[in-house]
Amino acid sequence: MQQLLAPIHDFLGCETPDLWVEKAKQPSQLIPLLIDHCNCELKAAQTAILMLRKYAIDKNSAHLLKAWAKPYEDFVYQQDRDAHAFLARDSKKNDITSELVANEQLAYSADVMSKMVRLIKEEFHHFEQVLQIMTARGIDYSNIRAGGYARQLIIHVRTHEPLTIIDKLVIGAFIEARSCERFAKIAPHLDDELAKFYTSLLRSEARHFQDYLALAQDIAGVDISERIDYFRQIEKRLILAEDSEFRFHSGVPSQ
């Protein structure tokens, strides 16, 4: 695990504060933490889908992505939910990734499509895994307000291409790296089932971080270390700042 986490710790500007870990391991926080984690997996998939639609696939493939995400979005956004029915469906029938066509006008579209499609598959699978754990424990999914972490990073994205996609990919790398670091932080404090689950997620989250970063560097074609450090400092401030909301990517709990 230490070998897996070493690049993550080198990349991030700080470790998760102990106060966040202390809050996360409180039994009363398990339900909101699992629900927010479920939401985070869907948001990660949706972000990758938006990136595919804008930067990687042809126009005729866009409706295929919408159909792929529809069952997940319907479950989350509709009030009348049936978690058992959702989990019992054959999700493989909805996988349309083999039908997607890369946008040949963009030099990097094939690489973006390859990495993002794999990421989306894994994020949807993780969503289902978290929901399965919740359902087995009698925890109902409910809508909770997202934290401001991702939003506060995105407002710093530059508005001219290819600078926009580079910034978005760098932000994606930080979000995935922080997720990986926090999974490792809380795993030792959870029950055996959850500890095993969160430990099992480390490898995929670390790969997502590496994929986002590699794409950013490849598309830029020049050294982007200054831009990475720019977002590193922003992400560090968000993680170390006092935060009134407790979420998977929130800052130091204010109470």
Side-chain angles (χ1 to χ4, degrees):
M1 182 184 296
Q2 292 307 314
Q3 184 177 3
L4 183 70
L5 290 171
I8 299 290
H9 290 147
D10 289 342
F11 182 70
L12 295 172
C14 67
E15 290 190 28
T16 290
D18 290 341
L19 286 174
W20 186 93
V21 178
E22 290 299 316
K23 181 92 170 182
K25 70 181 186 181
Q26 294 175 10
S28 61
Q29 296 303 320
L30 181 60
I31 291 177
L33 198 66
L34 285 173
I35 294 173
D36 189 53
H37 181 188
C38 211
N39 284 335
C40 287
E41 297 294 354
L42 179 60
K43 293 296 184 184
Q46 290 173 320
T47 297
I49 285 173
L50 288 174
M51 193 160 291
L52 274 180
R53 291 179 62 180
K54 185 168 184 177
Y55 298 110
I57 59 174
D58 67 4
K59 291 183 179 179
N60 292 330
S61 297
H63 73 280
L64 296 175
L65 282 179
K66 185 176 181 179
W68 192 18
K70 189 177 188 303
Y72 301 89
E73 294 175 340
D74 284 350
F75 176 81
V76 167
Y77 300 132
Q78 290 179 0
Q79 295 299 315
D80 186 18
R81 305 183 186 92
D82 187 340
H84 292 283
F86 175 82
L87 293 168
R89 83 200 195 289
D90 185 358
S91 60
K92 291 183 179 179
K93 287 185 178 180
N94 195 46
D95 185 353
I96 45 71
T97 53
S98 62
E99 304 174 49
L100 297 177
V101 178
N103 185 343
E104 296 180 353
Q105 296 180 345
L106 300 175
Y108 46 78
S109 61
D111 198 18
V112 172
M113 188 169 77
S114 174
K115 288 183 170 61
M116 291 299 103
V117 163
R118 184 178 184 182
L119 185 148
I120 294 166
K121 284 183 178 181
E122 292 180 341
E123 303 292 16
F124 279 155
H125 179 56
H126 295 165
F127 177 93
E128 293 171 355
Q129 287 180 298
V130 179
L131 186 62
Q132 180 68 60
I133 290 172
M134 290 169 55
T135 303
R137 295 177 180 225
I139 301 172
D140 291 330
Y141 179 89
S142 61
N143 294 116
I144 60 174
R145 185 172 61 181
Y149 172 82
R151 184 172 63 254
Q152 291 300 314
L153 288 169
I154 291 170
I155 61 175
H156 297 279
V157 169
R158 292 170 291 186
T159 57
H160 295 86
E161 299 291 0
L163 303 181
T164 302
I165 185 175
I166 292 168
D167 282 357
K168 288 180 178 179
L169 290 166
V170 170
I171 289 172
F174 275 105
I175 293 173
E176 297 292 341
R178 182 59 65 186
S179 297
C180 185
E181 189 254 1
R182 289 206 160 166
F183 291 159
K185 282 281 189 181
I186 65 171
H189 305 288
L190 301 173
D191 60 65
D192 290 345
E193 180 191 30
L194 286 174
K196 183 178 180 180
F197 172 59
Y198 278 110
T199 301
S200 73
L201 296 179
L202 296 181
R203 193 168 301 279
S204 60
E205 298 301 308
R207 186 177 63 254
H208 296 169
F209 144 68
Q210 292 166 345
D211 283 349
Y212 269 119
L213 193 58
L215 281 172
Q217 292 172 334
D218 290 345
I219 292 172
V222 295
D223 181 26
I224 58 171
S225 57
E226 284 191 17
R227 197 61 183 169
I228 291 171
D229 190 58
Y230 173 78
F231 280 108
R232 179 180 291 117
Q233 298 308 315
I234 296 171
E235 202 270 349
K236 178 181 177 179
R237 289 199 298 270
L238 292 171
I239 293 300
L240 297 181
E242 188 174 272
D243 200 331
S244 60
E245 292 183 315
F246 182 71
R247 297 290 186 269
F248 221 101
H249 293 89
S250 58
V252 179
S254 59
Q255 57 182 0

